[in-house]
Amino acid sequence: GEDVEQSLFLSVREGDSSVINCTYTDSSSTYLYWYKQEPGAGLQLLTYIFSNMDMKQDQRLTVLLNKKDKHLSLRIADTQTGDSAIYFCAESIEGYQKVTFGIGTKLQVIP
Amino acid sequence: DGGITQSPKYLFRKEGQNVTLSCEQNLNHDAMYWYRQDPGQGLRLIYYSQIVNDFQKGDIAEGYSVSREKKESFPLTVTSAQKNPTAFYLCASSTLDTNTEAFFGQGTRLTVV
């Protein structure tokens, strides 16, 4: 079955890079996602990567996928206070109309 | 503007009462979902629906019920059988494509006193 794991908390200084990690267990995962949740709000999609890709970059965001280790990471360059939020890793598997979410990593940016 | 709307944002109920949370979308999405979020436990799937008049249990369906009479609407009822109903509830919708973005509502915070 699907299982997505993340660490609970990350603290970084403003201007530094943040790296949020995620591991998943289902080797047939087709798409992997990063969602952002600001306090008291719903989740918003930040970026996604197809499982046949190793890396995807979008402005300050870089997603790295290591299929052998089933490891996904989200790097945020030049982290700003507005990046403080909970970040969820998620996976969807071809043939299943359901997305499985990780527990969420709370990112705290220190000014 | 297209989107997904949950109401109300905050809800208080007495223990033992049933309560219904509203979720409406005008994105023409086939799939709709209800999640529960507790501190330190991430999102847990309660129910989901891929078509009108059909729905499936998620990981924590006990004590909850849903209906999908219209494509646009997927209300969640928290029944008195739910032992610990105080939580943040999130509704989402998506297409049925493999690569699909889930659009989330702003959530309803339910407090049972």
Side-chain angles (χ1 to χ4, degrees), chain B residues 3-24:
Chain B
I4 181 165
T5 304
Q6 288 184 244
S7 61
K9 190 166 177 62
Y10 299 97
L11 192 54
F12 295 88
R13 279 295 180 268
K14 289 185 179 179
E15 193 172 338
Q17 288 182 333
N18 291 355
V19 60
T20 298
L21 282 59
S22 169
C23 180
E24 304 275 333

Side-chain angles (χ1 to χ4, degrees), chain A residues 6-22:
Chain A
Q6 303 177 239
S7 55
L8 280 177
F9 190 75
L10 176 66
S11 179
V12 298
R13 293 206 172 273
E14 190 175 12
D16 288 350
S17 292
S18 309
V19 180
I20 303 170
N21 295 302
C22 167

Side-chain angles (χ1 to χ4, degrees), chain A residues 6 20 22 33-35 45-47 63 72-74 88-89:
Chain A
Q6 303 177 239
I20 303 170
C22 167
Y33 305 86
W34 284 105
Y35 281 80
L45 181 66
L46 279 179
T47 186
V63 178
L72 182 74
S73 67
L74 173 70
F88 289 89
C89 173

Side-chain angles (χ1 to χ4, degrees), chain A residues 4 7 21-22 48 69-71 76 83 97 99-100:
Chain A
V4 178
S7 55
N21 295 302
C22 167
Y48 69 91
D69 295 337
K70 296 178 189 169
H71 182 266
I76 305 173
D83 294 324
Q97 283 82 34
V99 179
T100 301

Side-chain angles (χ1 to χ4, degrees), chain B residues 41-84:
Chain B
Q41 294 199 47
L43 294 177
R44 291 185 290 169
L45 182 65
I46 304 172
Y47 268 99
Y48 66 104
S49 168
Q50 297 169 350
I51 194 169
V52 172
N53 292 324
D54 190 38
F55 45 83
Q56 287 78 41
K57 292 182 179 180
D59 302 316
I60 55 163
E62 186 176 348
Y64 299 98
S65 66
V66 293
S67 63
R68 187 89 185 273
E69 296 177 3
K70 298 186 299 182
K71 188 176 184 178
E72 302 80 19
S73 178
F74 192 41
L76 173 74
T77 297
V78 184
T79 75
S80 57
Q82 169 48 235
K83 299 302 179 192
N84 185 19

Side-chain angles (χ1 to χ4, degrees), chain A residues 8 30-31 33 35 37 40-45 48 86 88 92-104, chain B residues 9 33 35 37 40-43 45 48 50 59 88 90 96-107 109:
Chain A
L8 280 177
T30 307
Y31 288 92
Y33 305 86
Y35 281 80
Q37 183 186 32
L43 281 66
Q44 289 186 305
L45 181 66
Y48 69 91
I86 301 176
F88 289 89
S92 71
I93 302 161
E94 188 168 13
Y96 293 87
Q97 283 82 34
K98 189 174 75 166
V99 179
T100 301
F101 287 86
I103 201 168
Chain B
K9 190 166 177 62
Y33 313 80
Y35 293 93
Q37 187 176 22
Q41 294 199 47
L43 294 177
L45 182 65
Y48 66 104
Q50 297 169 350
D59 302 316
F88 189 54
L90 284 163
L96 293 177
D97 299 328
T98 302
N99 181 20
T100 181
E101 177 181 353
F103 288 80
F104 282 81
Q106 291 298 297
R109 185 164 299 280

